[in-house]
Every structure is written in structure tokens, then in C-alpha cells.
Amino acid sequence: MESNICYVCQKSFRENQLISAIGIGHEIVELIHSDFPGWNEQSKICKNDFNLFRMKYITNLVEEEKGNIENLEREVIKSINDNEILTIDTSLKTDAPTFGEKISDKVASFGGSWKFIIAFFSVLILWILGNSFYLYFNAFDLYPFILLNLILSCVAAIQAPIIMMSQNRQELKDRIRS
């Protein structure tokens, strides 16, 4: 039973609740050794006491680097000691997307895909070939393809703001997540 006693608090623990001196980094071992000079490689420490020394080590690091500790650093050090998570659930911060936002996301994902590019070039080639050769005598959009240019301009004018709406929503999600 002697081997299941924490060297620091002198309380008895189960074997899996103790940390061996061999498994601890030398910086924290030096801190323990400064407070408990008899600490050696056979000594063991409970998790609570180990977390206190770990918090002391992190506090010393921050103080050495910055000179003092602010409230945020204290909160982070406390969360490390308590094994807490400091993040928030970002899925709760964003509202459910509206119908328009869903449409803009779908248009943006399709507009930036290979399916769109292949379909777009296929329509262009069919339009040009159809009006140049097949419908030569009954072509509805002759060589300068003015109607085609008008349609392409309209598609670009409508598609650009829709993609921008989707990107703005994604940027908001990323900002909340970060």
C-alpha cells in the first residue's frame, strides 16, 4: 500500500489515480522538487496535486513572458487545471438559414463546380454551332451573337450577387467559429 500514496498530500489512492515521477516533464519535476526536496524517481503524485503544479508552471511561464497575468490568462490556466473547455457551441449562434440563403448556397456551390463549367461550355458550343451552321438560313442569333452576349451578361449579373450573399454567410460562420 506504500506505493499508492501521493508524495505531496500523503493520501492513499488507487494506482490509476497516481502519476509516476518518471512520466512527468523535468520542468514540473523541478517545481515539485523545490517544494518537496525528497521527491525522487520512485515518488508518485495524485492528479489533483499534479494539476496544481502544472498550473503553477504555466503561470510562471506566462509571468516570465509578459511580466503579469491578465484575467483571460487566469481563466485559461484555471480551465487547464479544471479540464474545462473554453469554447462555445458555434452551431447555436447562427440562425437557421432562410429560403433565400439556402438558394444562394446551392447556386454558389453549383456555380463553382465542374458540372456548371461543363454545362456552360456545352450550351455555348451548341448555341454557336447551331446558329452558325445548322440554323444558317433560319438562325435567330447571327454571328456577333448579340442575344448570347445579353443572356451571358444577365447570368453574370444575377449569379454574382447570389454568390456574394453565400460568401457573406460563410464569412459570418467562420468569424463566429474563430
Side-chain angles (χ1 to χ4, degrees):
M1 193 72 172
E2 185 72 30
S3 63
N4 290 344
I5 294 178
C6 173
Y7 189 84
V8 174
C9 65
Q10 297 297 315
K11 293 180 183 174
S12 180
F13 292 92
R14 290 188 307 232
E15 186 66 30
N16 65 350
Q17 293 177 322
L18 293 171
I19 301 169
S20 172
I22 297 170
I24 300 175
H26 69 278
E27 297 90 357
I28 297 177
V29 167
E30 289 174 8
L31 279 176
I32 297 171
H33 195 37
S34 68
D35 290 352
F36 297 92
W39 177 265
N40 59 37
E41 288 185 359
Q42 285 75 35
S43 302
K44 295 181 180 180
I45 187 171
C46 67
K47 292 179 182 180
N48 290 336
D49 290 335
F50 175 72
N51 282 337
L52 291 174
F53 279 103
R54 189 171 66 159
M55 191 167 89
K56 185 177 179 181
Y57 171 68
I58 293 170
T59 304
N60 289 344
L61 281 178
V62 173
E63 284 178 345
E64 284 176 15
E65 187 172 321
K66 292 184 75 176
N68 64 349
I69 297 179
E70 297 176 13
N71 289 338
L72 179 62
E73 284 103 7
R74 286 188 203 287
E75 189 175 332
V76 169
I77 291 169
K78 182 183 178 303
S79 73
I80 290 171
N81 184 45
D82 297 341
N83 290 324
E84 292 178 349
I85 298 176
L86 290 178
T87 61
I88 57 173
D89 186 6
T90 57
S91 64
L92 300 176
K93 291 291 180 185
T94 56
D95 296 331
T98 64
F99 178 73
E101 290 171 338
K102 289 178 186 177
I103 295 291
S104 68
D105 288 344
K106 288 180 182 177
V107 167
S109 67
F110 178 70
S113 69
W114 280 105
K115 287 180 183 179
F116 173 76
I117 292 171
I118 292 169
F120 185 75
F121 277 114
S122 299
V123 168
L124 285 178
I125 290 170
L126 287 174
W127 186 287
I128 292 170
L129 290 177
N131 280 292
S132 297
F133 301 112
Y134 183 70
L135 299 173
Y136 182 71
F137 294 105
N138 295 329
F140 57 89
D141 190 20
L142 295 175
Y143 167 64
F145 306 118
I146 295 171
L147 183 59
L148 177 63
N149 284 324
L150 176 66
I151 292 171
L152 293 177
S153 297
C154 289
V155 167
I158 291 170
Q159 191 178 22
I162 291 173
I163 291 173
M164 289 297 293
M165 286 188 286
S166 178
Q167 287 177 341
N168 288 340
R169 260 181 31 79
Q170 187 60 45
E171 180 184 349
L172 177 64
K173 286 181 188 177
D174 292 343
R175 198 174 318 127
I176 289 170
R177 195 174 297 123
S178 69

